[in-house]
Amino acid sequence: MRKLILLLLSGVLSTACVDKDYDLGNIDTDNIAIGDEGSQFRIPLVKVLVSKDEIKNNDGDIEKIFREADIWFPTQLPDDKFVDLVKLQNEPAYVNTLLRTLREEMQTSDAKLASVVDLVWDKYAAEFLPLLNLTAPDEQTFKTAFKTAYRNDASLRERLADEVSALARTYLTGSLGIDQLEYEVGHIDISSDIVDMLADNLDPEGTPNARNTLFLYGQITSGLPLSLLLDPSFSPMEITFQVGVGADKASNDIPQTQLFAEDLRQIVEGITIRIPVTLTEYYPGKGFSDDQYQIVISLSLLKNGGLKLDI
């Protein structure tokens, strides 16, 4: 289930981190300014919780996708601890190395041969029946014939290995992409006075050395055995940023992205968050966790400069 937690609070001052105390005693207009150009206020905005079943493609969720990939990957990887998924998509020589190592391992490891044969029986048996001279075998007959031929018949082993390599190549180069994530954020129930307080004294876009500014920033945590590249965009505004999420990092910083008054007002009214996902590295030894949420994206606002209150 796609889940977002809206965190933009109705009382900004109660949560803001203010860098100094302010003397409000010398006020001679109808407007109150809290802070000055050196002040900062940090405000939670929204938290996106991404479950395992949302990270998917037509073959299933992310764990199911890589459950099959694990069988096609050899145990000994070229990069030792991880599979370079970018090379997998762009460098045929890298794929050839993986497949050559897989073929060799199937000869030397009964466990690897058995896992490949189990997968073949479950999904690809029809591709191998002519090679094994079988028509409608039961499971045990098929598996025994495949293993016997692979171990004992050098000529047939090459033909079986060629078919295994072709299936593995197709899957590993064509089935490891992930669908874009998409979230609808409806109207945020926040007072227009609070929005005005944040937005009304922002320096206009293009202001040299702007000091009254608003930025979106945050952190991303992931429990996946994968490194990712995320490219979120907010619609209908033209707000985009890119962040790498490392499989071995506890938290990943989202770069500060400047917002203007119109952006903030649109966020409050409602937006669509679209997140294209690129998988970059896979660490088979890390395994998938049983956590309900695999990716947590926490977004906050940073307001530089004073806050304006109309009274």
Side-chain angles (χ1 to χ4, degrees):
M1 185 175 99
R2 299 187 174 186
K3 186 170 182 181
L4 297 93
I5 298 177
L6 300 181
L7 299 172
L8 194 51
L9 304 180
S10 60
V12 173
L13 297 184
S14 65
T15 62
C17 177
V18 184
D19 66 346
K20 59 181 287 187
D21 294 327
Y22 302 107
D23 179 7
L24 304 181
N26 188 23
I27 300 172
D28 57 8
T29 73
D30 289 336
N31 295 325
I32 298 176
I34 299 179
D36 57 24
E37 63 184 26
S39 304
Q40 286 191 338
F41 301 83
R42 296 180 186 270
I43 307 144
L45 178 60
V46 64
K47 184 175 286 187
V48 181
L49 306 178
V50 185
S51 60
K52 189 181 299 181
D53 60 1
E54 294 175 65
I55 313 169
K56 60 181 178 59
N57 64 24
N58 290 334
D59 290 305
D61 68 37
I62 189 73
E63 186 170 10
K64 181 180 179 182
I65 293 166
F66 278 90
R67 193 180 301 130
E68 176 167 343
D70 280 335
I71 296 171
W72 295 131
F73 289 136
T75 303
Q76 185 61 49
L77 300 172
D79 292 295
D80 191 23
K81 295 182 179 180
F82 68 92
V83 179
D84 190 320
L85 300 175
V86 177
K87 287 184 179 179
L88 193 65
Q89 302 301 316
N90 298 289
E91 298 185 16
Y94 183 79
V95 182
N96 292 340
T97 298
L98 288 172
L99 298 182
R100 183 175 61 253
T101 308
L102 171 66
R103 293 164 71 123
E104 294 168 354
E105 187 178 358
M106 288 172 63
Q107 281 187 258
T108 59
S109 169
D110 288 343
K112 175 55 80 172
L113 178 59
S115 67
V116 170
V117 173
D118 288 346
L119 174 61
V120 165
W121 169 255
D122 289 340
K123 289 187 65 175
Y124 307 105
E127 311 291 336
F128 293 87
L129 296 182
L131 294 175
L132 297 171
N133 197 25
L134 298 172
T135 52
D138 59 29
E139 179 177 353
Q140 189 57 50
T141 299
F142 177 87
K143 291 182 177 181
T144 298
F146 193 115
K147 293 174 183 178
T148 300
Y150 206 91
R151 292 190 184 108
N152 303 321
D153 188 327
S155 175
L156 186 51
R157 177 170 58 242
E158 286 303 304
R159 295 165 65 194
L160 292 171
D162 286 345
E163 188 61 39
V164 166
S165 295
L167 291 170
R169 186 185 301 275
T170 297
Y171 188 85
L172 296 178
T173 59
S175 298
L176 302 187
I178 297 300
D179 295 344
Q180 175 177 270
L181 303 172
E182 186 167 315
Y183 299 91
E184 297 291 337
V185 182
H187 176 76
I188 299 174
D189 187 15
I190 177 174
S191 166
S192 60
D193 292 339
I194 300 299
V195 176
D196 292 343
M197 183 173 62
L198 290 169
D200 277 357
N201 71 334
L202 292 177
D203 294 333
E205 186 172 1
T207 301
N209 302 315
R211 296 181 179 180
N212 294 294
T213 55
L214 184 67
F215 289 90
L216 182 74
Y217 76 103
Q219 295 79 38
I220 298 177
T221 60
S222 169
L224 296 171
L226 292 139
S227 294
L228 320 167
L229 192 63
L230 305 182
D231 291 273
S233 64
F234 291 10
S235 178
M237 311 96 77
E238 296 183 0
I239 296 175
T240 63
F241 56 87
Q242 185 178 85
V243 58
V245 178
D248 56 348
K249 295 182 66 176
S251 182
N252 306 267
D253 290 335
I254 296 171
Q256 291 187 7
T257 301
Q258 188 167 7
L259 305 179
F260 296 94
E262 300 79 14
D263 299 323
L264 178 59
R265 298 185 193 283
Q266 182 62 67
I267 288 173
V268 172
E269 287 305 312
I271 58 172
T272 300
I273 303 176
R274 297 185 176 91
I275 311 175
V277 180
T278 302
L279 308 179
T280 58
E281 295 174 349
Y282 172 52
Y283 293 77
K286 191 172 184 288
F288 286 85
S289 74
D290 293 326
D291 295 341
Q292 181 179 4
Y293 300 112
Q294 298 293 305
I295 300 174
V296 177
I297 305 172
S298 301
L299 295 171
S300 298
L301 297 175
L302 168 61
K303 172 66 169 65
N304 295 306
L307 299 174
K308 180 182 176 183
L309 287 132
D310 293 327
I311 60 172

